[in-house]
Amino acid sequence: MQFFIDTANLSQIKEAYELGILDGVTTNPSLMAKEGIKGAEAITKHYMDICKIANGPVSAEVIATDFDGIIAEGKVLAALDKNIVVKVPMIKDGIKAIKWFTDNGIQTNCTLVFSAGQAILAAKAGATYVSPFIGRIDDSSWDGVNLIEQIAHIYRLQGFQTKILAASIRNALHIVRCAEVGADVCTCPLDSILGLLKHPLTDIGLAKFLEDAKSMK
Ligand code: G3P
């Protein structure tokens, strides 16, 4: 399973890359706005700054919701860097646009996916990635990981090539459960990635080793 970081914060992206286990980055308009990025020029510069750090796919989301607008924005984004993946919402014109991007060699990430039916449509359109938002599903009292498992089952049975990118990850357990049920990628906030490091027995064991090591001096 690949690890992407889900942020537009440059220092967090750097920190995650320095761990040596990161494969890519995903952003969305909310994450870009959180960094105070404003205006077309600043948005372009920020994506290019992310691409300079990231040595892998970087999802950049379109704002347009009509076919022509999505295509125009997606072409501009894709031209910024070979690693840009155009992120397109799960709407009718979005599916049409994903098919167009697929036919024209542009990678896509179909976002805001909350059902297996939507994931089938994204795969039929040839999306490179499909992004089910598992944390938001949990928030509405459903089981987000179950959706990842269902999509993984369908994709394998049907031979769909679209990669399942588990998004809206809220904690380290989400990452482990997504790995168990066959997600291809988890895109996570830095805290959830670092949460994988934690176990109290590791801390207790290390403290004891360091204490005992003092007697060896
Ligand atoms: O990649 C989509 C993700 O950022 C959404 O996460 O936490 O806003 O539900 P969240």
Side-chain angles (χ1 to χ4, degrees), residues 5-7 26-28 30-31 59 61 87 109 111-112 114 131-137 139 165-170 187-189:
I5 188 165
D6 194 28
T7 185
T26 52
T27 64
N28 63 38
S30 305
L31 294 171
S59 286
E61 188 159 339
K87 203 169 180 188
N109 175 353
T111 190
L112 289 166
F114 294 91
S131 288
F133 278 27
I134 70 168
R136 293 192 195 183
I137 293 174
D139 292 345
L165 193 166
S168 184
I169 297 284
R170 299 280 160 77
T187 189
C188 325

Side-chain angles (χ1 to χ4, degrees), residues 102-123:
T102 304
D103 292 345
N104 287 276
I106 293 175
Q107 297 201 88
T108 53
N109 175 353
C110 183
T111 190
L112 289 166
V113 166
F114 294 91
S115 76
Q118 291 177 325
I120 290 172
L121 267 184

Side-chain angles (χ1 to χ4, degrees), residues 62-72 74 86-102 108-111 121-122 125:
V62 297
I63 311 296
T65 53
D66 64 293
F67 177 78
D68 290 337
I70 295 171
I71 299 298
V86 180
K87 203 169 180 188
V88 181
M90 166 46 73
I91 52 176
K92 196 172 170 189
D93 278 22
I95 287 298
K96 267 174 73 177
I98 288 170
K99 178 70 172 85
W100 188 93
F101 288 130
T102 304
T108 53
N109 175 353
C110 183
T111 190
L121 267 184

Side-chain angles (χ1 to χ4, degrees), residues 124-144:
K124 286 294 291 178
T128 317
Y129 301 95
V130 65
S131 288
F133 278 27
I134 70 168
R136 293 192 195 183
I137 293 174
D138 288 2
D139 292 345
S140 53
S141 302
W142 294 74
D143 187 342

